[in-house]
Amino acid sequence: MATTALFFVFAGLAIACAISMVYHKNPLYSAISLIGVFVSLSVLYVTLAAPFIAAVQILIYAGAIMVLVVFVIMLLNMEEDKPLNRLRYLYAIGGGLGLILLVQTFFVFYAVMRAPKQAVNTEETIGKTMSIGTAMYTEYLLPVEIVGILLLMAIIGGVILVRKLSQPQMESMVERELERRHEGEDKDDYRIAL
Amino acid sequence: MEPSLASYLALSGILFTIGAVGVIFKRNAIGMFMCIELMLNAVNLTFVAFSRYYADVTGQLFVFMVMSVAAAEAAVGLGIIISFFRNRVSVDVDDASILKN
């Protein structure tokens, strides 16, 4: 009973925070709403008897990824989102896509509701850290190593992307680029902030 | 008594829908990035719910993989956003039109 109450409270909170994230124009408000979604999802993982995933959700999503996002928002000092000034048909596409996905969701809901009841396996040891760790380093060792290589690639890619070339090097690169686009009709366009 | 599998799937579907619509409506790159994170989280919820109702640890393991991919995506995506901002002084995706002509 308590689980059901927790589910409804935090499901409602997650949906409200998600809507507020899409609704707010200020990226910082969106980020804080998204942290609300992550925390409510973490509570839902606890109701699903997955305490390890709940802890990792807070540590990685709310602790690492969102801090990075908020840091970038502060660093770039962005203005508020402009209203959609062109491509108005995007509203139609977005609304249609949302409608299709919602219909699909309710179809899945009814299909699963009407399916013959299976005996729910309420074994509580599944979500424990030890069983996850055992499975991770025996049966699923290859995916774990692939993820390790992926993270290494992300580190190298991030460093190369954000690396700032030294000023003379950067300027000579821009000069070469402008020469290549003969006589630089839109010179001013590319030189901002270099 | 526990909430049924269907209610978790419905919540996950609703969150995914909000994320997908948000990607289309948002104009700034960081907003789109956050909507993508929301969609990844909706999928994670499905994984954990099925893992619970079939008593199989694989679902929770792959949630872990999805989180690692999201972290890698955050590093590279924010790097791209910063270097875009350096060249254009904007994070509006409509300004990313150098390749248009």
Side-chain angles (χ1 to χ4, degrees), chain A residues 1-190:
Chain A
M1 200 61 228
T3 317
T4 312
L6 269 183
F7 172 79
F8 281 110
V9 168
F10 282 96
L13 195 64
I15 292 174
C17 284
I19 289 174
S20 122
M21 184 197 82
V22 175
Y23 173 77
H24 275 300
K25 299 289 181 216
N26 188 332
L28 198 56
Y29 293 167
S30 298
I32 289 169
S33 309
L34 191 57
I35 292 174
V37 177
F38 290 158
V39 172
S40 358
L41 280 182
S42 157
V43 174
L44 291 181
Y45 294 154
V46 172
T47 68
L48 283 169
F52 177 71
I53 295 297
V56 166
Q57 165 95 1
I58 296 282
L59 281 178
I60 295 187
Y61 270 115
I65 295 182
M66 288 319 288
V67 167
L68 204 60
V69 169
V70 170
F71 188 74
V72 168
I73 290 173
M74 299 288 202
L75 190 71
L76 301 189
N77 193 17
M78 281 184 276
E79 75 274 35
E80 303 211 331
D81 217 355
K82 290 188 293 271
L84 218 52
N85 47 357
R86 57 199 191 87
L87 299 178
R88 299 201 72 85
Y89 64 89
L90 272 183
Y91 278 126
I93 294 179
L97 178 69
L99 208 66
I100 291 171
L101 284 175
L102 267 187
V103 169
Q104 221 167 22
T105 300
F106 284 110
F107 175 73
V108 168
F109 181 71
Y110 278 115
V112 175
M113 282 290 266
R114 290 163 64 89
K117 280 279 180 207
Q118 280 195 333
V120 177
N121 198 331
T122 47
E123 202 185 335
E124 295 278 334
T125 57
I126 283 301
K128 291 281 191 298
T129 310
M130 186 168 170
S131 67
I132 292 180
T134 309
M136 191 181 270
Y137 289 108
T138 54
E139 200 179 345
Y140 295 98
L141 189 58
L142 185 62
V144 170
E145 299 205 346
I146 291 173
V147 162
I149 292 176
L150 182 79
L151 286 175
L152 179 65
M153 281 159 61
I155 293 169
I156 296 172
V159 169
I160 287 180
L161 271 174
V162 188
R163 183 185 55 164
K164 200 162 190 171
L165 297 176
S166 62
Q167 204 59 32
Q169 210 179 346
M170 180 75 104
E171 259 164 24
S172 73
M173 232 176 76
V174 174
E175 288 307 325
R176 238 182 303 137
E177 181 65 22
L178 288 179
E179 270 168 36
R180 222 174 45 77
R181 319 169 181 252
H182 42 103
E183 276 67 71
E185 298 106 37
D186 32 21
K187 208 170 214 164
D188 49 338
D189 209 2
Y190 299 99

